[in-house]
Amino acid sequence: MTSDQTILVAGAGGFIGGHLVADLLKKGHTRIRAVDLKPLPGWFQRFPQVECKVLNLQELGNCLEAVNGCDVVYNLAADMGGMGFIEKNKALCMLSVLINTHLLMASKELGVQRYFYSSSACVYAGYKQKNNDIPGLKEEDAYPADPEDGYGWEKLFSERMCRHFREDYGIRTRVARFHNCYGPFGTYDGGREKAPAAVCRKIIAAKLAGKSEIEIWGDGQQTRTFMYVDDCVKGIHRLMDSDVVEPINLGSDEMVSINQLVDIVEKIAGVKMKRNYNLSAPKGVRGRSSDNTFIKKSLGWAPDTTLREGMKKTYAWILKQMTKK
Ligand code: NAD
């Protein structure tokens, strides 16, 4: 990609979108348009040299305005959150289909050359994720389809929409299936946060209140992998520069249980907490990990930041925000 191209980052006020804009600036891009639904003060990261627009991208007219004059589009906009949010807001999650559909229609209309779509590991079939020690999910494990209700179905449908816009209209679409991404400048409270940020917040809140117990959702034995946000951004660039047209896993393969994640955060915080397991809280699938065979083969790389290394930076940022408050 050349630095004279005009780039749209949709969802730029959010976590990954904000990091992507920061990285594009670092790479020397000067013509960046950042768009999000949230009012500007709520954006995680903002840069004075970037054109920022507040638009609801569920509307086709707003997508045409956002895409106008752009060569490349990154779609990171979605109404989403952690398990606590997506299990209780299936209709809202499904409505994100309007964002991707209208952005693709606008991209076709306005001659966009390249298009990135952020899919999710939630597209993977539930029947393959029933145990906590399952092997990593391979790209073909999305079918026969049985994705996460609501959020996962929307992602799976939108992946196919990207494929058909590529096949029928020649837009170079690229699709990455993110597995749990975490890092600074993201949601850590309010109900949309994911496990890594939630665990940091709970431990910090207990420490600040002089308490020594926290609540864990589920029995703590459910397994996941977590990708540091710098790896996510690196993967997006590598994928966009590649010839990989099929959806690809973008995630770490360092699988841990939620209890092991808590162990890591406790070590960083220098505390030991009593864990109260809430078995009726939303907990998602029993086990999930990323099989990185395809990404290593096709992009010659896979996310490699260790969980301990990434969580140290994430904990430090959340601690700073919470002590500021
Ligand atoms: P985020 O919630 O921090 O960012 C999404 C942004 O989209 C938000 O700022 C939100 O205001 C914006 N948005 C929502 N509806 C909009 C609309 N109608 N018009 C314009 N903007 C709108 O989430 P994130 O973690 O940065 O995720 C980015 C993308 O990656 C999303 O598509 C998400 O589904 C996907 N993803 C994220 C993860 C993860 O672990 N963070 C995992 C899998 C997939």
Side-chain angles (χ1 to χ4, degrees), residues 223-243:
T223 53
R224 293 290 183 279
T225 61
F226 301 100
M227 163 176 57
Y228 190 59
V229 66
D230 288 0
D231 285 340
C232 182
V233 170
K234 212 183 276 181
I236 293 172
H237 292 314
R238 287 188 182 236
L239 177 61
M240 282 297 263
D241 289 341
S242 78
D243 293 328

Side-chain angles (χ1 to χ4, degrees), residues 122-315:
C122 286
V123 299
Y124 284 115
Y127 56 80
K128 300 230 172 190
Q129 304 171 77
K130 294 228 179 280
N131 304 313
N132 44 21
D133 61 348
I134 57 149
L137 292 157
K138 291 187 195 309
E139 282 73 5
E140 59 265 30
D141 289 331
Y143 295 97
D146 176 26
E148 178 76 32
D149 211 2
Y151 179 71
W153 274 108
E154 188 277 319
K155 292 289 186 196
L156 201 59
F157 177 87
S158 292
E159 284 188 356
R160 297 189 79 92
M161 191 79 115
C162 288
R163 168 175 158 186
H164 297 305
F165 269 68
R166 175 174 54 77
E167 289 170 348
D168 295 357
Y169 306 126
I171 303 177
R172 283 187 53 181
T173 58
R174 297 290 181 268
V175 176
R177 291 177 181 155
F178 298 165
H179 289 245
N180 264 309
C181 182
Y182 70 96
F185 297 101
T187 308
Y188 63 89
D189 63 3
R192 286 179 186 253
E193 65 279 12
K194 295 184 159 222
V199 170
C200 290
R201 187 203 71 234
K202 287 176 186 182
I203 289 183
I204 294 166
K207 251 184 107 171
L208 293 176
K211 293 187 179 151
S212 54
E213 55 185 288
I214 55 165
E215 184 190 68
I216 310 279
W217 285 7
D219 62 6
Q221 287 168 36
Q222 63 274 39
T223 53
R224 293 290 183 279
T225 61
F226 301 100
M227 163 176 57
Y228 190 59
V229 66
D230 288 0
D231 285 340
C232 182
V233 170
K234 212 183 276 181
I236 293 172
H237 292 314
R238 287 188 182 236
L239 177 61
M240 282 297 263
D241 289 341
S242 78
D243 293 328
V244 176
V245 294
E246 294 301 328
I248 186 169
N249 276 335
L250 185 51
S252 161
D253 57 4
E254 182 189 350
M255 188 163 86
V256 291
S257 67
I258 295 300
N259 278 328
Q260 287 170 320
L261 173 68
V262 178
D263 292 343
I264 289 174
V265 182
E266 282 181 341
K267 269 206 189 117
I268 294 167
V271 291
K272 202 83 199 140
M273 295 278 162
K274 177 174 177 286
R275 300 172 191 186
N276 300 322
Y277 295 100
N278 178 355
L279 301 183
S280 54
K283 39 200 170 288
V285 293
R286 190 68 186 149
R288 175 177 290 164
S289 171
S290 177
D291 182 304
N292 285 348
T293 311
F294 182 55
I295 189 171
K296 282 182 185 159
K297 194 171 150 220
S298 54
L299 304 185
W301 168 88
D304 53 7
T305 306
T306 64
L307 188 54
R308 194 180 151 71
E309 204 183 317
M311 286 303 287
K312 233 172 133 174
K313 295 180 190 162
T314 309
Y315 181 90

